[in-house]
Amino acid sequence: MITFLLRRLFTSIFVIIGVVTLVFLILRAVPGDPVESILGEQSLEVDKEALRECLNLDKSLGEQYLLFWGDVASGTLGELCDERGVTVMDRLVANIPATFELALAAMFFALIFSLPLGIAASLRPYSWVDNSSAVIALLGISIPNFWLGPMLLILFSLTLQMLPNPGSEVAGLTALLLPAVTLGTGLSAKLMRMTRSGMLEVLNLDYVRTARAKGLPRHLVILKHALRNALLPVITIVGLQFGALLTGAIIVEKVFARPGVGMLLLDAIEARNYLIVQGCVLFISFTYVVVNLVTDVVYGLIDPRIRYD
């Protein structure tokens, strides 16, 4: 297991180097002068030069790249030009907990909704249970969250008045419920069908039939013998989609007026805050890398064959 983990860590280092380089190049390849975009064309030349110096845009591309790596290695991601003493990481740290709270709540909703339906559909294939789950999954994948969120708000906050609206100062579980459902609906649809297909494949294997022949209880055969191996592709999807949840949270946080990295990124884009946009994109990219690494490790723990491959 140690060798397997070291291989994955070694691979992740090269991925991180590539991510940092791509973020650096792509943001600098955007047409236009970021200084003029931030200050406006009518600003004083002395202000433009001061901001250009603060953003290190007065230096060559190679020097900018080395300074950028210095900010990444120090963990600050750069000091804000309009707030001296405040770094990009300070702003991220203040907003990351709210985004992770939303992503974890959406993941929890997706799992508790999709796994039982996926298992039930696999146990009775092509029945009304299976067909109903297929319709639910199709709707979940098809409905975009930027439409689903306002519809849920209209129904539960304005019409039924069961849950708080985004304008209120209510916090806690009730305020988190609608954003979590909105963000987790698409993922739950994917996990539902993945669980069904994985279970159908496993239920016909020899070791499951042997467990049944031994007289083991049906629920034990399903949960211990079949589900554990059927969850391997599901774990892959969960790991890969967790980063997508953070990206999807950008829209959901805007719809429900929630604080978080998404709102920070959108506000930075609107204000043309070069450093915060750069920091938010790096954070989301790093999250993908870390989640993929954790997924590989969990995969290896569940299926020992992967560690030796």
Side-chain angles (χ1 to χ4, degrees):
M1 188 64 191
I2 300 292
T3 305
F4 172 77
L5 181 59
L6 289 175
R7 284 204 312 266
R8 290 297 184 266
L9 284 172
F10 187 71
T11 305
S12 298
I13 291 173
F14 285 99
V15 174
I16 289 174
I17 293 173
V19 165
V20 172
T21 304
L22 279 175
V23 170
F24 173 82
L25 293 176
I26 289 173
L27 286 178
R28 279 154 185 79
V30 175
D33 185 359
V35 173
E36 288 190 359
S37 298
I38 296 171
L39 297 179
E41 296 181 0
Q42 304 302 321
S43 58
L44 297 175
E45 194 62 34
V46 63
D47 294 332
K48 291 182 180 179
E49 289 300 323
L51 182 58
R52 188 170 281 108
E53 182 179 351
C54 177
L55 295 175
N56 295 323
L57 296 177
D58 58 333
K59 299 177 175 59
S60 66
L61 194 63
E63 290 177 307
Q64 291 181 47
Y65 183 66
L66 292 177
L67 290 170
F68 181 52
W69 263 110
D71 292 335
V72 173
S74 66
T76 63
L77 299 180
E79 183 178 338
L80 298 179
C81 297
D82 55 344
E83 297 180 64
R84 289 298 183 180
V86 179
T87 65
V88 175
M89 184 55 70
D90 293 333
R91 300 292 298 275
L92 281 172
V93 167
N95 288 275
I96 285 172
T99 298
F100 266 99
E101 180 186 52
L102 176 58
L104 290 174
M107 183 68 73
F108 178 74
F109 163 76
L111 289 173
I112 64 171
F113 184 76
S114 62
L115 291 182
L117 279 179
I119 294 171
S122 67
L123 296 178
R124 300 184 63 185
Y126 308 110
S127 66
W128 68 269
V129 176
D130 190 15
N131 294 332
S132 299
S133 69
V135 172
I136 294 172
L138 180 61
L139 290 174
I141 294 175
S142 303
I143 298 175
N145 52 22
F146 62 80
W147 183 87
L148 179 61
M151 293 302 104
L152 292 177
L153 278 175
I154 292 172
L155 177 60
F156 291 101
S157 296
L158 300 180
T159 305
L160 301 177
Q161 297 184 352
M162 295 172 58
L163 295 170
N165 60 63
S168 65
E169 297 182 357
V170 178
L173 184 60
T174 54
L176 185 62
L177 186 58
L178 286 183
V181 171
T182 302
L183 185 58
T185 297
L187 176 58
S188 65
K190 297 175 185 177
L191 294 181
M192 187 191 311
R193 303 311 291 172
M194 186 66 70
T195 303
R196 175 193 178 274
S197 61
M199 286 290 292
L200 283 176
E201 183 178 340
V202 169
L203 286 172
N204 294 320
L205 295 180
D206 292 339
Y207 70 90
V208 175
R209 286 199 293 266
T210 302
R212 286 173 177 168
K214 287 181 178 180
L216 291 177
R218 188 166 183 261
H219 71 276
L220 192 61
V221 173
I222 294 170
L223 296 178
K224 184 178 180 180
H225 293 273
L227 184 60
R228 181 176 178 179
N229 289 283
L231 283 181
L232 288 175
V234 175
I235 290 172
T236 303
I237 297 298
V238 168
L240 295 176
Q241 289 297 312
F242 187 78
L245 287 180
L246 294 178
T247 307
I250 296 174
I251 298 174
V252 175
E253 285 174 358
K254 185 67 174 179
V255 170
F256 291 92
R258 286 181 55 85
V261 176
M263 284 291 287
L264 179 66
L265 176 59
L266 291 175
D267 291 342
I269 292 173
E270 185 177 352
R272 297 175 176 85
N273 195 318
Y274 194 75
L275 291 177
I276 290 184
V277 172
Q278 188 172 260
C280 290
V281 173
L282 271 179
F283 164 72
I284 294 172
S285 303
F286 281 173
T287 302
Y288 268 101
V289 174
V290 172
V291 168
N292 286 345
L293 175 61
V294 173
T295 303
D296 285 341
V297 173
V298 173
Y299 220 79
L301 289 173
I302 292 178
D303 190 350
R305 294 171 299 178
I306 295 173
R307 300 200 294 264
Y308 299 109
D309 288 342

